[in-house]
Amino acid sequence: MDHLRGGAFAMGPEPPGTSGSGVSSDAFSGIDPESMARFIASMERARETLGAGIPRIVSALEAVDVDRSAVAQLREAEGWVAEQLPELRRRNDLIRKGEQAADWAPGLVAFDEGAYVTAGEAAAQGRRLAERFAGMRPEMDSNYSNHYDELGALLDELAARRHDPDFTAAFLAAAGLGGATTIVEKLRRHGLETTSAHRRALAEAVNTAVTKRPDALGAEWRPESLASLPAGVLGVLVARGRYSGRWLSELVRPQVGKAVESARGREHRRWVTGLTPFLSALADNPEVARDLLNDLPREDLVDLFSELNRSVSRDFDVPVEFGRMLAAGAGVFEERSPDAAAAKFAFNVMTTMGSLRTPPDILAARSSSMEVAEGTRTFLAMIAGAYPAEMIDGAHRGDANRTKGSAFAEGGGTMPGIEPKFRLSPDDTYLFMKTFADTDARLKPFEEGMGRFTRVLLDDALRKDAGGGIENLSRLFSGLGYVYGTQLAAAEEVRKGLDEADQARNDRLKLASDALFGVAGAAVPAKVTEQALWITFSLGASEGLGALAEIDDTRVKALDDRERVGTLGRSHWILHELHRAGFAYAVPPDAPEFAEPPITDAEGKILPFSTLVADPETLKNFNNWMIANGSGSWDTTQAAQAADDLSDWFNGAKEQAQRESEHYERSQKVTPSPSSQSPPKS
């Protein structure tokens, strides 16, 4: 069947918006895979109808003794439909792996019908490509860059057909494990940068064949045979794509490894593992990572993760793939809410990655803490951002759980409004925060997650309090203050420099003030990023907003001014939220007594805080307006006093978390060995 109509196949006049772009009516063809799927379903119904109807027709004709020769045409039609279906399904599988044609053709995938070949011809082409690989000239084994041309050209052909199951299965079956190993070894003779695209194409070709045409591959490509390959080679071959969990687990489970104990004690033991080459495969198949690692004891995970953290490979970027595996295992990349297995994986990561260690060696008598590799850190921030309830609950140093260790089975939190899946201790929360707090860029995924969750919690607390007080809001602001205090302590510890930390906070404050405080008289607009919302809370602490007065200074010079301006700045933003939720202003901001200098714009909305703080008299007038609306009255049903109190709840919790985190840090420096810490219950 050469052409499909009814919307599935399109070829013809020059698409809109492509004039002069080189895309002509003769050059473009495409198929909508959803329309194709509906067409295939119609063909399947036709086959079923014919199959069920023909015997009844024959029976009816026999009953009246009528010529039945015409039934042969129906049988021919049934056979024709049955013959078409496998190729139609194969065609649509290839289409679904293609790329969208263009914005002007939503749903349409570019597909060259003229280049399409049947399954049999595709298999023949795959075998011929394997023969050409086997016949490569010996000099192509050298590592000279110009000798990559022939290998690269052959791999380009494989890359173009990597989603064709019949082609890839025939290619790999003909090449065998020996041929596949040779290809990997040839790739290794050239730089990773040169070969990365071809490595990916090879791995995707293996995935296509294994998952779509396992029988065509033969016994040599079953797990028991693949296990005979060197781990590094096998890791390259299965690095991409989704596999059957059982199939991949059977390959990778023996590579997890074990601890090599030492007569000199726990500190001297090491973990020996072959898991490093399979980090990419586990990242693409997180359920396998959970199956392999979720039940390991904490001390084993610390040793295993420490070993993976310091591993190197000539085949891929280990820190990035290690981080990607950890984030995937924790359910970060899944659209659904993390299930129990993903949450357990996240718990394991969040309670171990802050305690990595370097075992003693000939130069060091004691084990020492190990920094998380740079490429891994952003992924840990993603995990923290995906589990904001657990981070809030864990950072809380004022609840009934604050002296308890981390535990997965006892996840019930004590702060109203959140339901953590597990419990983190404040110390584990701080240690985990340190793994990604070294730069603002790495903090971003965490802050985005906190911002999203904060918006939900804030709206819920505002609805519950409904303008009659701040019972729920005060608990929320206190909980968020503990999180920010922990974040601040972690950042200052790992960045080792107050001036640097101050300047970073000022830079981030500009982001928040531009996005939030720069919106005249408005509540937080929907378009504001989640990160900016969290920065509003966190840098709403005095040392942040106070810097608005001297935004270009490295250090804020006057503590009293900083505290005063900071309090007003926090209250300015909180006021908008309270007013939006039903807190009334006793005196409107555009009242005549506050008209000079004005604190509102022409529409009667409060000026942006960055404008208010720029002029001392305007700032003083705003302060007076706050007093007129209850600031200093101790009446939290009045908007300004409620805003002041919430600011104080946040700041008090922030300072407590900061102090206790710093105390914990000092205690660890007195007793540095991580092995002396009692592990949390699992």
Side-chain angles (χ1 to χ4, degrees):
M1 185 170 57
D2 296 326
H3 301 285
L4 298 176
R5 301 300 179 187
F9 179 81
M11 183 171 183
E14 189 170 355
T18 62
S19 179
S21 65
V23 181
S24 68
S25 59
D26 294 331
F28 174 74
S29 66
I31 296 181
D32 178 355
E34 298 308 319
S35 295
M36 173 67 99
R38 290 192 294 271
F39 178 79
I40 292 171
S42 297
M43 293 284 280
E44 288 172 338
R45 287 194 298 273
R47 183 190 60 180
E48 292 170 2
T49 300
L50 287 169
I54 289 174
R56 291 198 294 270
I57 293 172
V58 170
S59 178
L61 293 176
E62 286 177 342
V64 295
D65 195 23
V66 175
D67 179 30
R68 301 182 295 278
S69 59
V71 174
Q73 297 178 24
L74 293 177
R75 294 192 187 281
E76 183 180 352
E78 178 191 12
W80 181 85
V81 171
E83 289 175 1
Q84 301 306 310
L85 281 170
E87 287 298 329
L88 288 173
R89 295 190 191 102
R90 167 180 152 75
R91 179 188 274 102
N92 210 30
D93 284 343
L94 294 175
I95 294 165
R96 290 187 185 279
K97 293 289 187 178
E99 299 179 357
Q100 289 294 311
D103 293 340
W104 46 261
L108 203 61
V109 175
F111 185 75
D112 185 356
E113 186 73 18
Y116 176 78
V117 296
T118 65
E121 179 55 27
Q125 292 173 352
R127 287 189 289 271
R128 288 196 291 270
L129 182 62
E131 292 170 0
R132 290 165 61 200
F133 267 103
M136 283 184 61
R137 301 193 307 272
E139 61 266 26
M140 293 301 104
D141 287 344
S142 75
N143 60 4
Y144 291 110
S145 59
N146 61 330
H147 285 171
Y148 190 70
D149 293 346
E150 183 180 358
L151 175 62
L154 293 176
L155 287 168
D156 283 342
E157 292 186 40
L158 178 63
R161 305 289 294 278
R162 67 191 185 279
H163 298 310
D164 186 329
D166 299 291
F167 180 93
T168 54
F171 169 78
L172 292 170
L177 296 186
T181 300
T182 299
I183 294 172
V184 173
E185 291 173 345
K186 289 178 183 293
L187 285 168
R188 283 175 166 174
R189 295 189 179 98
H190 303 273
L192 185 58
E193 183 176 348
T194 301
T195 63
S196 60
H198 286 145
R199 290 167 185 261
R200 176 183 286 271
L202 175 61
E204 290 178 354
V206 172
N207 177 262
T208 298
V210 168
T211 58
K212 298 290 187 180
R213 298 291 187 272
D215 292 340
L217 282 172
E220 193 176 19
W221 285 86
R222 291 173 185 163
E224 57 270 24
S225 299
L226 286 167
S228 65
L229 293 177
V233 171
L234 183 55
V236 172
L237 294 176
V238 300
R240 297 294 170 186
R242 300 278 295 157
Y243 284 98
S244 155
R246 181 177 179 182
W247 187 91
L248 188 60
S249 290
E250 189 175 342
L251 278 182
V252 181
R253 190 176 299 279
Q255 305 296 336
V256 173
K258 62 181 180 179
V260 177
E261 303 291 345
S262 170
R264 291 180 290 175
R266 162 76 177 86
E267 278 199 352
H268 290 264
R269 84 170 194 166
R270 291 178 180 272
W271 194 273
V272 178
T273 180
L275 206 57
T276 301
F278 300 95
L279 291 174
S280 298
L282 293 178
D284 282 0
N285 298 269
E287 67 285 347
V288 177
R290 296 163 196 155
D291 177 56
L292 297 178
L293 305 180
N294 266 1
D295 293 331
L296 289 180
R298 179 182 183 274
E299 65 176 24
D300 288 353
L301 280 173
V302 169
D303 289 342
L304 171 59
F305 287 168
S306 296
E307 191 64 31
L308 294 174
N309 185 64
R310 65 179 184 176
S311 296
V312 295
S313 173
R314 54 181 171 170
D315 294 315
F316 61 96
D317 187 334
V318 173
V320 169
E321 294 305 294
F322 181 35
R324 195 167 71 90
M325 183 273 287
L326 294 177
V332 169
F333 307 124
E334 298 172 12
E335 294 182 1
R336 63 180 183 179
S337 177
D339 60 16
K344 179 64 184 299
F345 194 94
F347 171 79
N348 287 339
V349 173
M350 296 167 85
T351 55
T352 57
M353 287 300 291
S355 302
L356 302 186
R357 67 185 195 97
T358 301
D361 56 26
I362 194 170
L363 298 177
R366 299 182 65 87
S367 65
S368 58
S369 61
M370 179 192 295
E371 289 188 356
V372 173
E374 287 194 17
T376 305
R377 296 173 193 173
T378 298
F379 294 98
L380 300 183
M382 291 180 184
I383 296 174
Y387 288 85
E390 291 72 18
M391 294 296 289
I392 294 173
D393 185 63
H396 208 298
R397 292 182 179 269
D399 65 10
N401 284 339
R402 62 184 182 272
T403 61
K404 295 180 180 179
S406 299
F408 184 74
E410 303 173 22
T414 60
M415 180 177 163
I418 66 171
E419 298 180 0
K421 296 177 183 295
F422 48 82
R423 186 182 71 230
L424 294 176
S425 70
D427 291 342
D428 276 340
T429 306
Y430 168 70
L431 288 172
F432 186 61
M433 195 89 77
K434 283 174 61 179
T435 65
F436 55 82
D438 58 325
T439 70
D440 292 336
R442 293 197 179 101
L443 276 168
K444 183 178 179 181
F446 165 68
E447 292 178 326
E448 289 175 338
M450 283 299 303
R452 283 190 294 271
F453 197 55
T454 295
R455 178 78 271 169
V456 173
L457 295 177
L458 180 60
D459 288 345
D460 183 60
L462 287 166
R463 178 183 56 79
K464 289 177 178 176
D465 286 336
I470 57 171
E471 178 183 359
N472 292 282
L473 285 164
S474 61
R475 293 176 180 176
L476 171 61
F477 274 66
S478 177
L480 296 175
Y482 283 117
V483 177
Y484 179 61
T486 304
Q487 175 184 334
L488 187 61
E492 290 186 346
E493 173 62 27
V494 297
R495 298 186 193 192
K496 303 292 186 186
L498 293 179
D499 281 350
E500 177 187 350
D502 279 343
Q503 187 59 55
R505 287 197 297 277
N506 284 349
D507 290 343
R508 290 150 61 70
L509 179 59
K510 291 177 183 178
L511 168 64
S513 62
D514 288 346
L516 295 165
F517 301 117
V519 181
V524 179
K527 66 180 180 180
V528 170
T529 66
E530 293 91 350
Q531 184 189 20
L533 178 58
W534 176 244
I535 292 173
T536 300
F537 270 90
S538 60
L539 289 181
S542 57
E543 81 284 349
L545 284 176
L548 271 172
E550 302 175 74
I551 197 72
D552 294 325
D553 289 339
T554 300
R555 302 291 292 171
V556 178
K557 295 183 177 65
L559 179 61
D560 291 341
D561 288 344
R562 182 185 70 180
E563 293 294 337
R564 176 175 55 82
V565 176
T567 298
L568 286 174
R570 289 192 299 277
S571 299
H572 175 274
W573 181 77
I574 297 168
L575 268 170
H576 288 308
E577 291 295 309
L578 294 176
H579 188 59
R580 180 173 68 89
F583 278 81
Y585 293 148
V587 181
D590 58 352
E593 58 265 42
F594 301 108
E596 192 58 41
I599 61 172
T600 62
D601 61 14
E603 298 179 359
K605 296 178 180 178
I606 299 174
L607 293 172
F609 191 69
S610 54
T611 302
L612 293 172
V613 79
D615 176 58
E617 290 302 314
T618 304
L619 187 61
K620 180 179 179 180
N621 202 23
F622 175 70
N623 200 3
N624 288 333
W625 175 76
M626 292 276 290
I627 293 171
N629 278 277
S631 179
S633 69
W634 304 100
D635 181 1
T636 56
T637 64
Q638 295 197 51
Q641 184 60 46
D644 286 348
D645 277 15
L646 291 176
S647 177
D648 290 343
W649 276 106
F650 181 91
N651 206 40
K654 184 266 303 186
E655 291 175 355
Q656 181 185 351
Q658 196 171 0
R659 283 194 308 272
E660 296 196 23
S661 295
E662 291 167 353
H663 174 74
Y664 171 80
E665 194 68 47
R666 288 194 298 272
S667 71
Q668 293 303 104
K669 289 174 181 175
V670 173
T671 309
S673 172
S675 64
S676 65
Q677 303 172 32
S678 58
K681 290 181 287 184
S682 60

